[in-house]
Amino acid sequence: MVQKVYVTYNEIHKLCQASAEKILTDFQPNLIIAIGGGGYVPARILRSFLKRPGTPNIPIQAIGLSLYESLGTDGPVEEPGTKVTRTQWLDLSSLEMSNLIGKNILIVDEVDDTRTTLEYAVRELEKDVEKARKQSGKGAQRTCFSVFVVHNKDKPKRGHLPTDMMEENRYLAAKTVGDVWICYPWEATDIDEHDKLAESQPS
């Protein structure tokens, strides 16, 4: 039986707040890319804490990737799939890609489970930005990617992030948890019931 852990909006808010100073100091992002659908809410919350007086809000762009598949048996529990599917991506033919060149880009997702989705996102974004850099003739400007997740599951990973990213500490998880099924509030169809379950679970 899969152990479920219910997480509230309040908890997500506080985890993002607690991580913001390190992100500002170490990553200094110019742009946030949220991985949908789980990265949308944390990215928006995080942006409020990354805002500094007299500076504009950090722009948020979105990509959609799907790795999970329904077990199709008892309820809404899902398990990690093996193939990443793009459901939304950046428009490579627009100024969108050239605007990423030379920037510090923070990729945000809600959970690092098997790391397969994050590996795909980082690899493909690096590849696309490098292609856009060559086409734009902007020279050797370095685009630096970092990763923030709300939860990291303490388990063996199928996917891998770039060696330089890990060595330069450009990966941050707000909280590391066991290999449990995390129920996020934006997945709930009854938020009151979700919050009751969160409140009643062992701390």
Side-chain angles (χ1 to χ4, degrees), residues 8 46 51 54 75 95 125 153 192 195 203:
T8 65
L46 193 60
K51 178 81 166 64
L95 289 174
L125 285 168
K153 293 188 183 182
D192 294 325
D195 286 349
S203 56

Side-chain angles (χ1 to χ4, degrees), residues 6 188-200:
Y6 292 86
T189 54
D190 184 337
I191 193 63
D192 294 325
E193 178 65 17
H194 178 95
D195 286 349
K196 284 178 185 176
L197 289 166
E199 188 177 352
S200 65

Side-chain angles (χ1 to χ4, degrees), residues 152-167:
N152 170 47
K153 293 188 183 182
D154 186 11
K155 60 186 285 187
K157 307 294 188 184
R158 293 180 193 166
H160 303 279
L161 293 173
T163 302
D164 62 329
M165 175 180 283
M166 304 307 285
E167 289 178 348

Side-chain angles (χ1 to χ4, degrees), residues 28-145:
Q28 300 178 0
N30 311 113
L31 177 73
I32 295 170
I33 294 181
I35 299 178
Y40 296 156
V41 175
R44 179 57 191 90
I45 294 171
L46 193 60
R47 186 173 78 165
S48 294
F49 293 114
L50 298 179
K51 178 81 166 64
R52 286 296 177 259
T55 63
N57 276 315
I58 298 173
I60 299 175
Q61 295 192 27
I63 58 175
L65 298 174
S66 176
L67 179 67
Y68 288 85
E69 58 192 15
S70 175
L71 289 175
T73 50
D74 82 344
V77 177
E78 298 174 327
E79 66 177 4
T82 56
K83 181 182 178 183
V84 178
T85 303
R86 289 190 191 190
T87 57
Q88 178 181 342
W89 200 253
L90 305 179
D91 183 358
L92 305 184
S93 64
S94 71
L95 289 174
E96 207 168 56
M97 286 307 300
S98 63
N99 287 338
L100 304 186
I101 299 167
K103 298 292 198 311
N104 293 330
I105 299 171
L106 180 65
I107 300 170
V108 176
D109 206 359
E110 90 276 42
V111 63
D112 179 1
D113 190 334
T114 63
R115 197 162 285 175
T116 308
T117 300
L118 287 171
E119 177 188 46
Y120 181 93
V122 173
R123 183 184 68 237
E124 294 301 305
L125 285 168
E126 285 184 337
K127 186 192 305 180
D128 289 346
V129 169
E130 177 60 16
K131 181 179 178 180
R133 185 192 66 79
K134 289 179 178 178
Q135 291 175 344
S136 70
K138 287 189 175 181
Q141 296 184 44
R142 185 191 182 200
T143 302
C144 189
F145 288 93

